[in-house]
Amino acid sequence: MAQDIAFLIKFVDPQYKSDDVATEVHYLIEDLRDLDGMSQTRFEHISEIRDVAEIRVGVTFVAHSDLLGPILRRLRDRLYYNPIETYFQFQISDLVLQIQTHQADDLMGFMAAAQSGLLFAPERDYLAEAETYSRTQGELSPTELDNLNLLRQRLGIPAEEAEVLNARAASPYPTKADKHRHFEDITAAEFSRLRAMDEGPPFAPKDIWPVLQELAENLGLPVLEAEAIYQTHQQRYDNDFRLKTEQTAAKTAEDNRLSAAARAEAERQKQAQQAQERLNQYRNLCRQTMANSIYPSEFDQGRLDQARRLWGVSMAQALQLEAEVRDELYGGVASAAGVDYNRLRTLLHQQAWHEADMETEVVILKALNLDMQLVTAATVERLPAVDLATIDALWTRYSKGRFGFKAQQQVYRAQQQIQADDRQRWVAYEQALGWREAPSLFSRGHKPYHDLNFSLEAPQGHLPTWRWCCPSLSDRYKINLEVMAAVMHHLNECMPLEAVAVPALDTALPTQIV
Amino acid sequence: MVDNKLPHSAIGFSIRSLEIERDPKIIHAEIQALCNSVVKLSGLEQSRFFVFRRSLRPKQIGAEQAGALSETSLFTGLKFEIPAKNFRVVLRCVASWLDSIAQATLFALDISPAHIITLKTAQAKDLAQLLSLGEALLPPQELYLTQAEGYVNTFGELTPAAKANLLLVRHRMGLTRDEVNDLNAKVMGPFKTLGEKYQHFRRELLVCKQESDLDSELWQVMQAKADTMGLPEADAQFLKAERLSALRREAERERQQREAEAEAERQRYLEQQQRLEHYRHAFESLVMDALVPLNVAPDADQFRQAIMAQLSGLEFNRGRLIQARDFYRLTPPGADTLEKRVLDELYLLSDLL
């Protein structure tokens, strides 16, 4: 459906001379008249007074819209080859386009619009209707599309072309629901982006609403509706952010609390460790000062006393530590009966075997709570195992295993394997210990106590003697067999021997009684 | 607000009433209504608005002033500039306005640099012609690029909403996917995301080892870098502030460390003094424990010798003395000096007593 277009073309380049302008007008008309369908066109000159002379500076004419394309191409080509500043005016109904340029490219946009046919009926009218629906209703709903379809048929526009025009008017999202969904998706994506940014190092905060508002406007979605969607997401984001901040704050507080607790515990441990270190230092000093004697010298006692004061060790702790170190270095003196074995230990340390033997009697009687009373088989059993072990350990330690109850037990075990007869076994036992000699015609072999051997050359198990079992030592060192059996039984009960190989007997000593 | 720096992407829009016979107050109110509708649209915060008055030349007004004009200066039209990307939205807004008034109006679009479109109509439907022709006259790639640059200059990257807007531009301007991909790549430069730009710029800022390094001269260089890599000014400033803050923290930490070292040195000195003081007390205590009545010594030296002889005479005391010296890790000269001082004081006291 062709329609008339009014053209006005005028050369406005001030540098051009009047004659040249007139010549250009002439050539322009000639060029245009050359076009197909333009031979009958009536060209009206536009004249201007320049330097008191009237000259032709342009031309006006009317042509059918079908010719718009060829005319524009011709004008473009002319500008391309002769870029003279020119004023163009194209009037299509009430629409007027003015272009002033010397560049051919400036005509390209109008050429494209002319070629699309959107400036002329029927496409122009169809697009105007579709645009109106899209703008006023916010969508091309089925009802609007039905109306447009009727219009299309009336205007004789092909269905495919109408589709293109619909898409142009309504964007790729023709219905409100499509626009709403799209906007919702994009808003969600925006907030996902913000959440992802929150995960890493910080970014400068920016307001995303203006771009979303722009999108809503471009989509034709009511801004209030779009804002509601945005606010929903913003609220959710703010809530998440607040929750995360609270969690982080709570975690930090918890970490701080744990850290404070850990610091307090570390401090407590440090103090405990320092206290322990001081005790250890004191213990080491005790070891150092008792290395050569059971009781430190006066000088070393001075050192210990000063160290105790400086390290803040209490007197009780110091005494306990000293006792522990002494026990460790010189043997323990534990007693279940409350007996003090220190003197015995000192005597044994001094290798004063005789005095030690007598002290052993003293401590055993103390342990049995007997005061020079006769020890019987019954009372023997009251000797506490702890005390027996202490006495044995001290004797064993200082005789390097030669003396002590265990040595005596071992000797007895050896006799057990040799002598089946009880009586003979005991006699042999005493002989093995060196407590009696072999019986002879004139003697039963019992030795006086002072004839016993109080040295390390004495036989195995010779000491300590069981003088505390003897009713009298003035005549001879003789122990009642029943008491002896009771003692050995009690020793075996309290200090059972391990199942070890029986030590070789001292063959130099008699093992058999005659 | 999205950055729109390029002025040639703007379109001049003027609207004038052609109804000379109508009540001027009504026309004024209609123009005011139009102005109020347009300024609410996004992206027009920077736009300047002018009004046409009867027999007067256009005068610039602020958007907030539009409703506060006196009746003596009645409007007959409105003129404003809009970013090209807002063309369709603004035109739709104007069309809705025209729908509501349905009066003969002259519309003029000034699409720089060469085109002016005018249309006289009272029907909104006719404005579709302005839309078709106006969009055809806009350079599609330049329009797309300008808009994309605006987003990148604001957000540092093409956000989902920016991409959605650009997709509509692409659709409207008939650009192909390859064309827009090229344009997007051109706009983003070598860095594909804002995160990459941040990472790079943060690394660049690490050359500043102290606050004074980040002076105006260097910052100008850094700004040029930010501009080249398409990092928005706001982000560059943010990263500058971040770096400055880190440098301040670091300086503060170093200061605290120096203070801590000085404090540790002071503590060491105090401990040394304390050790001497403690030894002094220990020694005094030792002397007091060991003290036996002395004949008055003729001088301090003899007094000192006598006391030390008392101390050394008893092994116990000698042990205490040696242990105390050992405990406080005192050098023999140090111990001697201190002991001398204590004994001298004691001598003076003994003299007083």
Side-chain angles (χ1 to χ4, degrees):
Chain A
M1 194 187 296
Q3 128 177 41
D4 285 342
I5 301 172
F7 292 80
L8 183 155
I9 303 162
K10 187 174 150 186
F11 297 106
V12 292
D13 196 329
Q15 307 298 324
Y16 247 58
K17 292 177 184 170
S18 301
D19 290 351
D20 294 340
V21 173
T23 308
E24 279 300 323
V25 172
H26 173 74
Y27 286 137
L28 171 66
I29 293 169
E30 288 301 309
D31 274 354
L32 291 171
R33 213 187 288 280
D34 270 357
L35 292 170
D36 286 346
M38 291 286 287
S39 57
Q40 300 302 314
T41 304
R42 186 176 169 191
F43 292 91
E44 298 284 344
H45 289 106
I46 303 170
S47 298
E48 273 183 8
I49 305 294
R50 284 193 188 176
D51 302 329
V52 296
E54 184 176 296
I55 58 161
R56 293 174 176 175
V57 292
V59 63
T60 64
F61 61 95
V62 175
H64 289 296
S65 58
D66 296 343
L67 293 169
L68 179 59
I71 292 170
L72 286 175
R73 273 196 293 278
R74 181 58 53 90
L75 293 174
R76 180 201 62 187
D77 294 346
R78 281 183 57 80
L79 268 187
Y80 182 77
Y81 291 108
N82 187 13
I84 176 172
E85 187 73 10
T86 311
Y87 172 78
F88 301 93
Q89 181 177 301
F90 311 93
Q91 182 167 5
I92 309 162
S93 301
D94 294 326
L95 183 72
V96 178
L97 170 64
Q98 303 163 60
I99 305 173
Q100 182 169 326
T101 184
H102 62 276
Q103 293 180 335
D105 285 350
D106 284 339
L107 294 178
M108 299 293 278
F110 186 43
M111 285 172 68
Q115 206 167 5
S116 71
L118 297 176
L119 298 176
F120 312 109
E123 286 85 352
R124 179 193 63 196
D125 298 340
Y126 184 90
L127 184 61
E129 198 66 28
E131 276 285 345
T132 305
Y133 281 138
S134 179
R135 175 172 55 81
T136 55
Q137 307 301 318
E139 64 179 347
L140 293 183
S141 65
T143 311
E144 277 85 44
L145 284 172
D146 282 347
N147 290 343
L148 284 172
N149 195 35
L150 289 174
L151 180 64
R152 179 188 70 77
Q153 287 171 8
R154 187 158 59 80
L155 294 172
I157 297 174
E160 297 77 21
E161 198 176 334
E163 282 293 316
V164 173
L165 294 172
N166 288 348
R168 189 179 173 86
S171 81
Y173 311 98
T175 66
K176 278 184 182 172
D178 289 339
K179 291 173 185 180
H180 193 282
R181 200 177 310 115
H182 181 62
F183 188 83
E184 176 89 47
D185 291 347
I186 295 298
T187 308
E190 276 290 336
F191 279 98
S192 294
R193 185 180 71 92
L194 293 183
R195 284 191 177 88
M197 286 166 81
D198 289 341
E199 294 298 319
F203 284 82
K206 284 174 192 151
D207 187 6
I208 59 171
W209 168 241
V211 190
L212 286 169
Q213 186 189 354
E214 185 186 333
L215 178 62
E217 288 167 358
N218 284 333
L219 289 170
L221 190 69
V223 172
L224 285 177
E225 200 175 314
E227 199 168 1
I229 294 171
Y230 166 75
Q231 290 296 353
T232 306
H233 282 271
Q234 179 71 53
Q235 187 65 43
R236 211 174 293 156
Y237 173 78
D238 288 345
N239 289 344
D240 290 351
F241 189 78
R242 192 163 42 246
L243 185 67
K244 201 171 164 186
T245 308
E246 283 169 3
Q247 283 173 343
T248 308
K251 190 175 179 307
T252 308
E254 178 65 8
D255 287 351
N256 288 343
R257 194 185 63 75
L258 290 174
S259 165
R263 271 200 304 275
E265 174 61 18
E267 183 59 29
R268 195 191 60 74
Q269 283 185 359
K270 189 180 165 190
Q271 284 178 0
Q273 195 179 352
Q274 280 176 346
Q276 188 58 46
E277 272 174 19
R278 283 196 294 270
L279 291 178
N280 288 342
Q281 282 175 317
Y282 190 80
R283 185 188 293 275
N284 286 337
L285 188 62
C286 287
R287 282 200 188 100
Q288 203 181 324
T289 56
M290 292 184 203
N292 298 318
S293 64
I294 294 180
Y295 297 100
S297 64
E298 202 178 340
F299 173 79
D300 286 335
Q301 280 178 34
R303 287 179 66 198
L304 284 169
D305 184 64
Q306 188 65 42
R308 185 184 63 71
R309 292 165 192 248
L310 294 172
W311 289 330
V313 179
S314 70
M315 187 62 87
Q317 277 178 317
L319 288 173
Q320 191 189 336
L321 282 171
E322 285 171 31
E324 281 173 15
V325 169
R326 196 172 285 115
D327 289 355
E328 173 193 315
L329 294 175
Y330 298 102
V333 288
S335 170
V339 178
D340 182 1
Y341 292 102
N342 280 305
R343 185 162 184 275
L344 175 62
R345 181 167 61 188
T346 305
L347 291 170
L348 287 169
H349 179 248
Q350 292 166 354
Q351 310 268 292
W353 306 112
H354 192 181
E355 289 81 354
D357 190 51
M358 289 191 288
E359 177 65 12
T360 303
E361 181 187 35
V362 171
V363 292
I364 284 178
L365 291 176
K366 270 188 190 167
L368 289 170
N369 202 19
L370 296 175
D371 184 18
M372 303 308 284
Q373 291 166 295
L374 192 61
V375 174
T376 64
T379 54
V380 162
E381 289 179 1
R382 283 178 15 224
L383 266 172
V386 173
D387 292 66
L388 283 174
T390 298
I391 296 166
D392 172 66
L394 290 173
W395 278 98
T396 304
R397 181 186 197 101
Y398 290 103
S399 65
K400 293 190 171 53
R402 191 158 195 85
F403 302 146
F405 295 136
K406 277 216 172 66
Q408 291 167 352
Q409 283 174 281
Q410 283 164 356
V411 171
Y412 180 73
R413 180 190 276 181
Q415 292 305 321
Q416 270 184 316
Q417 292 172 348
I418 299 165
Q419 293 293 344
D421 178 70
D422 272 358
R423 184 177 173 74
Q424 287 195 350
R425 190 189 314 130
W426 284 115
V427 172
Y429 173 62
E430 284 183 284
Q431 278 185 267
L433 294 178
W435 287 355
R436 68 185 290 174
E437 292 169 343
S440 65
L441 190 61
F442 305 104
S443 164
R444 288 193 177 177
H446 293 296
K447 288 181 176 179
Y449 174 75
H450 55 81
D451 280 356
L452 293 178
N453 188 350
F454 294 101
S455 73
L456 280 174
E457 280 75 43
Q460 183 91 9
H462 187 69
L463 296 174
T465 64
W466 295 2
R467 52 179 283 157
W468 37 278
C469 297
C470 296
S472 167
L473 295 170
S474 56
D475 183 16
R476 52 191 178 168
Y477 173 55
K478 181 187 174 188
I479 307 164
N480 179 292
L481 278 184
E482 187 191 355
V483 174
M484 198 181 283
V487 170
M488 186 54 68
H489 175 75
H490 190 54
L491 284 175
N492 286 337
E493 284 285 310
C494 296
M495 300 188 299
L497 282 180
E498 292 170 10
V500 291
V502 178
L505 289 174
D506 191 345
T507 50
L509 293 166
T511 57
Q512 191 175 358
I513 195 168
V514 178
Chain B
M1 186 182 71
V2 176
D3 193 3
N4 294 295
K5 279 184 178 169
L6 303 175
H8 63 265
S9 66
I11 295 175
F13 209 137
S14 75
I15 299 143
R16 295 188 78 163
S17 172
L18 294 174
E19 298 287 343
I20 301 164
E21 304 301 322
R22 284 185 76 214
D23 183 350
K25 287 181 183 173
I26 294 176
I27 294 172
H28 176 84
E30 287 167 352
I31 295 297
Q32 273 190 321
L34 173 64
C35 188
N36 289 340
S37 302
V38 173
V39 295
K40 284 180 191 163
L41 297 173
S42 68
L44 300 184
E45 299 85 356
Q46 307 270 309
S47 296
R48 291 178 301 166
F49 287 79
F50 302 85
V51 287
F52 294 105
R53 297 201 180 99
R54 287 179 186 274
S55 307
L56 288 174
R57 299 176 73 181
K59 182 183 176 187
Q60 185 180 352
I61 59 162
E64 68 284 356
Q65 289 175 290
L69 292 168
S70 68
E71 287 190 13
T72 54
S73 54
L74 299 174
F75 303 161
T76 59
L78 188 64
K79 185 179 177 185
F80 50 91
E81 279 190 350
I82 56 168
K85 63 174 183 150
N86 295 80
F87 176 49
R88 175 176 283 246
V89 171
V90 172
L91 197 63
R92 283 186 164 185
C93 177
V94 172
S96 298
W97 172 79
L98 188 59
D99 254 346
S100 68
I101 65 164
Q103 297 294 326
T105 309
L106 174 66
F107 298 92
L109 288 179
D110 187 351
I111 300 172
S112 59
H115 304 85
I116 295 174
I117 312 169
T118 53
L119 176 68
K120 292 175 190 169
T121 184
Q123 294 187 358
K125 204 179 282 186
D126 291 343
L127 292 181
Q129 295 173 70
L130 278 184
L131 187 62
S132 303
L133 184 56
E135 285 188 343
L137 295 177
L138 291 170
Q141 293 207 351
E142 193 181 325
L143 179 71
Y144 185 95
L145 199 62
T146 303
Q147 192 163 345
E149 278 172 349
Y151 293 131
V152 171
N153 287 337
T154 304
F155 294 103
E157 64 184 347
L158 296 176
T159 65
K163 283 179 183 166
N165 280 320
L166 288 171
L167 183 68
L168 294 176
V169 174
R170 180 197 145 195
H171 178 80
R172 203 183 303 146
M173 306 306 285
L175 291 166
T176 65
R177 186 185 296 273
D178 289 343
E179 277 176 313
V180 297
N181 284 344
D182 288 348
L183 293 170
N184 288 349
K186 186 177 172 185
V187 167
M188 281 305 290
F191 301 98
K192 303 299 169 211
T193 63
L194 180 63
E196 286 180 23
K197 290 178 183 178
Y198 261 60
Q199 199 178 359
H200 184 80
F201 202 72
R202 276 195 176 106
R203 224 173 12 241
E204 292 277 327
L205 281 171
L206 287 180
V207 297
C208 304
K209 300 293 181 198
Q210 51 192 5
E211 206 175 329
S212 59
D213 289 350
L214 204 50
D215 56 11
S216 60
E217 199 175 323
L218 177 70
W219 181 240
Q220 278 182 357
V221 177
M222 295 306 292
Q223 274 180 314
K225 275 186 186 174
D227 202 36
T228 308
M229 62 197 277
L231 183 69
E233 172 69 13
D235 293 279
Q237 290 291 352
F238 177 83
L239 291 172
K240 178 188 177 187
E242 182 187 80
R243 181 65 187 148
L244 281 175
S245 168
L247 288 172
R248 280 175 199 145
R249 275 200 308 275
E250 211 167 298
E252 177 64 15
R253 200 164 45 242
E254 279 173 14
R255 190 187 63 76
Q256 284 177 350
Q257 196 175 339
R258 276 197 303 275
E259 278 183 4
E261 280 167 9
E263 177 62 20
E265 184 57 37
R266 203 173 67 83
Q267 279 296 331
R268 271 196 294 278
Y269 175 75
L270 281 177
E271 277 171 20
Q272 170 71 13
Q273 293 301 312
Q274 226 169 19
R275 220 165 35 238
L276 289 172
E277 190 61 20
H278 285 162
Y279 178 70
R280 179 193 167 91
H281 287 313
F283 184 70
E284 281 171 358
S285 160
L286 188 57
V287 170
M288 298 312 287
D289 288 351
L291 201 62
V292 291
L294 277 172
N295 292 329
V296 176
D299 59 28
D301 279 348
Q302 286 189 26
F303 177 83
R304 204 163 52 240
Q305 282 170 8
I307 294 286
M308 290 310 284
Q310 274 186 9
L311 280 179
S312 306
L314 285 174
E315 282 292 298
F316 182 81
N317 288 339
R318 205 165 61 81
R320 282 185 66 185
L321 187 63
I322 296 295
Q323 186 64 30
R325 283 179 180 175
D326 187 46
F327 179 80
Y328 291 115
R329 302 191 297 278
L330 294 182
T331 58
D336 287 347
T337 309
L338 201 139
E339 287 163 8
K340 182 175 177 298
R341 195 158 60 233
V342 170
L343 293 175
D344 286 351
E345 284 171 10
L346 196 61
Y347 172 72
L348 288 174
L349 281 172
S350 73
D351 209 23
L352 287 174
L353 291 170

